[in-house]
Amino acid sequence: MSNYLLKIYVTGQTPRSRRAIDNLRRICEDELRGKYEMHVIDVLERPQLAEDEKILATPTVVKELPIPIRRIIGDLSDADKVLLGLDLQSCQPRSDTASGKERSVDLA
Amino acid sequence: MTWHNHRGPVAKLATGIPGFDLIAYGGLPEGRSTLLSGTSGSAKTVFACQYLAEGIRRNEAGVFVTFEESPQAIRKNMEGFNWDIPAWENANKWAFVDVSPHPGQETIISGSYDLNALLVRIENAARKVGAKRMSLDSLGGIFAQLGDSNTVRNELFRIVSALKDLGVTSIITAERTEEYGQVSRYGIEEFVTDNVIILRNGLEQEKRRRTIEILKFRGATHQKGEYPFTVSPNQGVVVIPLSAIELKQKSTDVRIRSGVPELDRMCGGGFFRDSIILLSGATGTGKTLVTTMFIAGGVDSGERCLLFAFEESRDQLFRNATGWGIDFEKMEAAGKLKVVCEYPETGSLEDHLIAMKAVVDEFQPQRIAVDSLSALERVATIKSFREFAIGLTSYIKDKNVAGLFTATSSSLLGGSSVTETHISTITDSIILLRYVEMHGEMRRGVTVLKMRGSTHEKNIREFTIDHKGMHVGKPFRNISGILSGHFMHLPPGEIERLRELFKDDIDVTAAVGGPETSGHPR
């Protein structure tokens, strides 16, 4: 049974796209094995879907379930931020980020 | 166009925004992006929407990329301008790309990213409707969502460059923090460098004054400096293109009756049909009377007359006219007269100008009277007023109709008004009404100061007012200094002496056949 519904939007098969998909898959396998469903959506193939979902940047992960809906932008190379976005706070070594409210700084 | 006929090597796309294409010498540089920068409330979004709306009227589809307001909000806000965006969306002529922030959804950034998704969406929307026009409003909104970083800047630069490949002519709006200073917040002008337009909404003497300035069009010409504009409920942005007005009015030598036969004679046979007449005088000298006679004279000649009144109410005007034996009500019932009364304070001068133009267009009058122009002075700065006066006179002249404006001079005796100072050079005729003090009695004098393209009488004549209107009598012969208000009564011997002194002058006037030789009826 899957509790997590994750959609990852990418633009074409770029190295960044592959990196993001790999990173997401690894984190999910580590933390959510057997409890998640993951869809990869290529914006180039589904532009209207990107419009409807208001996808601005790629790669973007949309955590549709469980609520609250949350978006994670980037190649997901910062695993802590991804865990934060997936509400997996228990794995967070630090307690001050439990609120998850802070907006992260772009690392590019 | 006059000598500005050259449009430069860059083709222009006519926007259809009233007045704008005149100052832009044809429109926006085609196939390029133009930055539209302005402070909060400077009508950027209206301009950006109107650009697309006017495009649709010309069968050019458009894409609206919104970074701040939601499409729902824009659809709703633009209803007031009668722009039916949902209908255009259904007809596949208008497409939104919604980049507005989604409340309640938190975004976390982890690692590097790009804005390819946005670019793909923009391309998709442009392809879907076959867009020729695009508005991005306002680009800086993306910094509010993703933060200001090198990534965002590089990506925006890439997107703006990509717009060129889409073959669209785009407007990119940006917010600025002050009316005079940095072009835009976040330095958006770094991305859109070719063409820059600035909208201003300045506060001057407690009055808001909107202006538009084309800062640059790379490789193309345009009018320079700030032009006033207004946002009208029916038309949206309307630019008032002052110096872009062309001096192309045709000239006619057809004369029309002023409504006062003696005044016609003083003017050398009546006003010209396409002239602007300024009637100046202190309060109570009879300006409204002359205006009323002018209207009645027009209606008598079978002309349609339009009267804009800014000082007196309809009832007062009609009662006054009745007092001089003129029945405005009958004229209006016959469709020959339209009286529009308005408090000057009901709007800015730009609004008044737009409204007046609309009435003129609708009623198609052959003569127009404005009583008084001076009343409008008090709702504006001198600069706005001058622009208004020029805008109105050029519009009336363009229609080839006669316009009579009244101006109130500030002092009872002599003096001139601000109105006169600003519009005297653009008027064709100037008639002065003055109080004349004679032996402890106030009398009224009238003189024709200027009559472009015609001889006219140089005398200052006395006139009286009774239940039949205005009656012009004899010239004041033994008094001088009427115009300055410093009267000097001259003994008869002195008049004779002066007559001898300027004998040549008098001979010249007589040779021309000046009306002063023809006696007067009263």
Side-chain angles (χ1 to χ4, degrees), chain B residues 194-263:
Chain B
D194 285 351
N195 313 302
V196 178
I197 298 173
I198 292 181
L199 298 179
R200 291 194 176 87
N201 187 23
L203 192 59
E204 209 177 304
Q205 293 173 23
E206 300 182 359
K207 282 150 197 153
R208 283 281 172 200
R209 185 165 176 272
R210 292 183 185 278
T211 60
I212 182 168
E213 178 188 9
I214 299 172
L215 203 63
K216 63 171 174 180
F217 275 174
R218 190 161 283 174
T221 52
H222 57 87
Q223 288 267 339
K224 290 157 195 75
E226 292 181 36
Y227 290 84
F229 75 92
T230 186
V231 180
S232 105
N234 300 319
Q235 294 172 273
V237 170
V238 181
V239 180
I240 299 162
L242 284 178
S243 64
I245 294 164
E246 297 162 40
L247 269 175
K248 60 169 186 201
Q249 298 93 6
K250 290 186 278 296
S251 189
T252 174
D253 49 10
V254 177
R255 303 263 190 168
I256 58 166
R257 291 196 277 161
S258 69
V260 184
E262 298 95 326
L263 196 57

Side-chain angles (χ1 to χ4, degrees), chain B residues 325-341:
Chain B
I326 293 162
D327 191 349
F328 269 2
E329 239 157 276
K330 209 172 102 192
M331 295 174 182
E332 218 174 30
K336 286 290 178 192
L337 172 68
K338 189 177 177 74
V339 179
V340 180
C341 296

Side-chain angles (χ1 to χ4, degrees), chain B residues 100-113:
Chain B
S100 61
H102 22 112
Q105 273 193 40
E106 202 186 325
T107 301
I108 290 167
I109 294 170
S110 166
S112 71
Y113 61 90

Side-chain angles (χ1 to χ4, degrees), chain B residues 2-43:
Chain B
T2 51
W3 58 77
H4 295 298
N5 215 351
H6 60 285
R7 301 230 165 138
V10 178
K12 298 274 183 75
L13 176 77
T15 61
I17 293 173
F20 176 77
D21 294 335
L22 270 176
I23 65 166
Y25 288 163
L28 294 176
E30 192 159 17
R32 300 188 173 186
S33 300
T34 301
L35 180 69
L36 182 74
S37 190
T39 52
S40 167
S42 60

